[in-house]
Amino acid sequence: MKILVTVKEVATVEDEFEIEGTEIASQYLGADLNEWDDYAVEEAVQLQEAGLADEVVTVTIGPEECEQTIRQALAKGADRAVRVWDDALEGVDLLDVNAKTEILSAVVEAEDPDLVLTGVQAGDDSFGATGVSLAEEIGAQWGAVVNSLEHDLEDGVASVRRELEGGVEELTEIDLPAVLTIQTGINEPRYASLRGIRQAQRKELDVQALADIGIDESAIEAQLELTEMYEPESESDATIWEGSADETASELGDLLREKGVTQ
Amino acid sequence: MTDVLAVTDHRRGELRDVSYEIITAGRELADETGGDLHLAVISGTVDEFAEKLDREGVDAIHTVDYGEEFNHDVYTQTITQLYDELAPQYVLAPNSVNGLDYAPAVANELDLPIVTDTIGLETDGETLIATREMYGGKVETTNELEGEAVVTIRSAEWPQAEGTGDAAIEAFDAEIDEDAIGSTVTGFEEVGGGDVDISEADVLVSVGRGIEEEDNIPIIEELAEALDATVSSSRPIVDNGWLPKNRQVGQSGKVVTPDVYIAIGISGAVQHVAGMKGSDTIVAINTDPNAPIMDIADYAIHDDLFDVVPALTEEFQ
Ligand SMILES: Cc1cc2nc3c(=O)[nH]c(=O)nc-3n(C[C@H](O)[C@H](O)[C@H](O)COP(=O)(O)OP(=O)(O)OC[C@H]3O[C@@H](n4cnc5c(N)ncnc54)[C@H](O)[C@@H]3O)c2cc1C
């Protein structure tokens, strides 16, 4: 069995930041592997260790600068990586769900995996829609917000739990091939070992342009246009205590006593 | 004219609140250009649901009596067929776990753009302006879309529709292709039980990722002990296995309404806030003065938890 895992480098933002146009100014941005994807990679690697998967391939859409982040997944055990990038993607503010679906489905077609794992959402733009959209596009089955996956995958069926609201889990059987969007907490993502990190440098990272995967530039023209970004007007009417930790703790202590806590 | 088709949400025999909120959101959009608001009620006791959903502003309710519980293939097939029949400008769905299990598939199948987790919507009939957050609520963005679209709405952002309506309630004759149904729900399980019920606590000392390491959890436990309070947490603490599932506050954990909720090193992501915004008094201890938790805090200390928490514990020892 072959597993494809979609991974994304997400932007992280410092506490204090400024907005320039429709972006956060780059000096306030950091980068990290998307938290949800880390769990998806771990799940795939565990399936491989259990002898169920023969190959784990990651795919990302991103510029060369994200390679270091993407190699984290290789260091944790993925076998090889595909990175799609193109000059045509350079100026795109926001790659919408439809464009991502288009690109990823072309890679799925070329790789022909039995199982695709994605994160539930990306921590930066939080659309939470790409995995299910991709499944529909490639004619696969799917399950969103999966927080448990049985590792026997008997008879071409995945037994999963979908995490619903309010502490309720739905037990579902999903036919393969399928796309599962993976929720945090499904496993304990490992730290890459030094050996893993060294090996990752030598693993194959294949770069594809849109034309290489048979995609016309017009297909990625975003239909959703980001027109404004601003800091939300603070609705806060909080009383803010200032001073040393002893002073603020004592203010809070007074409040708690007033509220009748610990008498 | 902007007709809107809004899909309602139910689980285990109960309509979820967002079903009434989506009526308000859908009505507002339809009103901007004088269109109609259609509701889709799929699976379960649809007639009973339709009666409850017939509130002010609903023009038509289409019921599909097929199966008991949510199945994304049934939803996807039904909604695409309703779309073909009604030709609405917008398909609205809740940004719930189930909404995200069919709305992207509906959009892709219909070749429509999708915008998810919206908190504000406006239209002139042609251009949709959707407001949504990015970076865990640190910024808001507006996004424009031309023409038809699939839109999911965040729960608790629109008020619930009230009153009684006089919607035309009709059974919609959906053709469900059973061969195309590739998943089967075999059951449900409640998780997060056990010895402690945080929703019963009067005072919660709640810890988030700001605590950094498992080894630091004891400073929170010591504070809780000194205050005779109960320890709860945000999700990452439970994901990491530092506290059991029954301590998790939020969308996928417990909803709590204590007299005092002390959020320590918790940013206030929407899924967390969903579980604690009903607390009487909210205190936030966070180094980031712009953390979204500040929006709902009554009292705040913008400082390092590793300084403030031990000082507070000492006060009460
Ligand atoms: C489908 C779904 C369901 C979810 N369900 C839930 C749920 O039920 N409950 C839940 O909580 N989350 C849930 N989440 C996750 C949620 O989106 C957030 O990722 C999570 O709430 C973040 O937890 P946090 O605030 O502890 O961590 P972070 O967002 O990382 O925030 C840490 C905070 O600590 C502060 N901090 C850091 N160091 C210090 C210090 N030394 N002193 C003081 N402050 C410090 C930082 O400024 C920051 O604000 C869900 C997500 C999804 C997609």
Side-chain angles (χ1 to χ4, degrees), chain A residues 136 165-166 171 184 225 262, chain B residues 11 109 144 186 227 239 251:
Chain A
E136 205 283 333
E165 292 85 358
L171 284 62
T184 57
E225 195 195 346
T262 70
Chain B
R11 192 196 303 155
E109 163 109 27
E144 292 190 13
T186 58
L227 294 177
D239 283 345
Q251 172 186 308

Side-chain angles (χ1 to χ4, degrees), chain A residues 54-121:
Chain A
D54 315 306
E55 197 182 21
V56 175
V57 182
T58 66
V59 53
T60 194
I61 306 169
E64 195 175 349
E65 298 84 74
C66 78
E67 284 197 0
Q68 217 184 333
T69 300
I70 297 319
R71 282 204 194 271
Q72 286 180 30
L74 295 175
K76 292 178 184 209
D79 297 301
R80 61 185 172 85
V82 176
R83 178 171 71 80
V84 179
W85 196 241
D86 203 285
D87 290 345
L89 293 166
E90 207 76 55
V92 182
D93 248 7
L94 178 119
L95 205 53
D96 66 16
V97 175
N98 307 65
K100 284 184 213 166
T101 302
E102 200 70 42
I103 295 171
L104 293 173
S105 67
V107 176
V108 169
E109 216 153 276
E111 294 285 345
D112 196 22
D114 305 278
L115 183 63
V116 178
L117 302 182
T118 75
V120 161
Q121 62 170 24

Side-chain angles (χ1 to χ4, degrees), chain A residues 180-199:
Chain A
L180 305 178
T181 81
I182 300 296
Q183 175 65 316
T184 57
I186 187 173
N187 52 41
E188 271 185 56
R190 70 194 67 194
Y191 290 98
S193 65
L194 274 176
R195 186 161 154 266
I197 293 168
R198 265 200 311 273
Q199 281 175 342

Side-chain angles (χ1 to χ4, degrees), chain B residues 194-247:
Chain B
D195 52 337
V196 186
D197 186 353
I198 55 172
S199 64
E200 297 282 315
D202 295 329
V203 183
L204 284 171
V205 172
S206 205
V207 56
R209 187 140 53 186
I211 197 73
E212 286 171 13
E213 285 176 31
E214 182 168 18
D215 289 347
N216 297 330
I217 298 280
I219 69 164
I220 301 296
E221 290 170 335
E222 282 156 24
L223 173 61
E225 198 175 329
L227 294 177
D228 202 9
T230 305
V231 174
S232 61
S233 79
S234 68
R235 172 175 193 122
I237 304 302
V238 172
D239 283 345
N240 290 344
W242 300 349
L243 287 175
K245 177 80 187 170
N246 59 16
R247 303 287 178 152

